[in-house]
Amino acid sequence: IYKINFAGGEPFLNPNLGEYIKLSKSLGLKTSIITNAVHMTNRWINEYGHYVDQIGISCDSLSDKVNRDLGRGFGQHVPITIRAIERIHAFNKNNNDNNNLNDNNQ
């Protein structure tokens, strides 16, 4: 076993997610998260982003109407997804090292 993936339900609802990620990384595991990104804050990314190798953002459609019709939120998931992408990009830009959220860590 070389990788642990935090998914199912919404990982960011667990207040201990960051510590689980940090522990997993300290044990030599690759880490990943699958999230809808609603609760993925800049504060969390800045504190724990160095311990995350990969984040998958679930977005069923690039149409807020389709997402709403599918029961995926209240018509704001596309902007939330864009916000998450921008936050990850900013983190990577500001933390130019080999241990950040980028394609080189897969």
Side-chain angles (χ1 to χ4, degrees):
I1 298 173
Y2 65 93
K3 181 179 182 180
I4 186 161
N5 184 42
F6 295 88
E10 172 50 45
F12 281 98
L13 291 177
N14 186 317
N16 299 310
L17 176 64
E19 292 304 314
Y20 297 152
I21 292 281
K22 192 174 177 179
L23 172 63
S24 300
K25 197 67 176 171
S26 76
L27 296 173
L29 296 168
K30 296 280 187 184
T31 59
S32 64
I33 301 169
I34 304 295
T35 177
N36 64 20
V38 171
H39 301 284
M40 190 177 76
T41 64
N42 278 326
R43 183 173 152 232
W44 193 96
I45 293 170
N46 288 325
E47 186 169 349
Y48 297 106
H50 294 280
Y51 306 102
V52 180
D53 293 299
Q54 184 176 7
I55 290 183
I57 301 172
S58 300
C59 184
D60 293 317
S61 174
L62 295 178
S63 164
D64 279 328
K65 180 186 181 319
V66 170
N67 286 321
R68 192 173 43 252
D69 292 347
L70 290 171
R72 304 285 192 222
F74 303 100
Q76 293 297 315
H77 200 226
V78 173
I80 288 168
T81 300
I82 292 168
R83 179 186 70 193
I85 292 166
E86 289 170 344
R87 286 177 174 175
I88 292 167
H89 176 72
F91 175 84
N92 286 339
K93 186 175 178 183
N94 294 326
N95 295 278
N96 189 16
D97 60 25
N98 291 326
N99 220 6
N100 62 15
L101 298 167
N102 65 42
D103 292 335
N104 296 326
N105 288 327
Q106 294 181 9

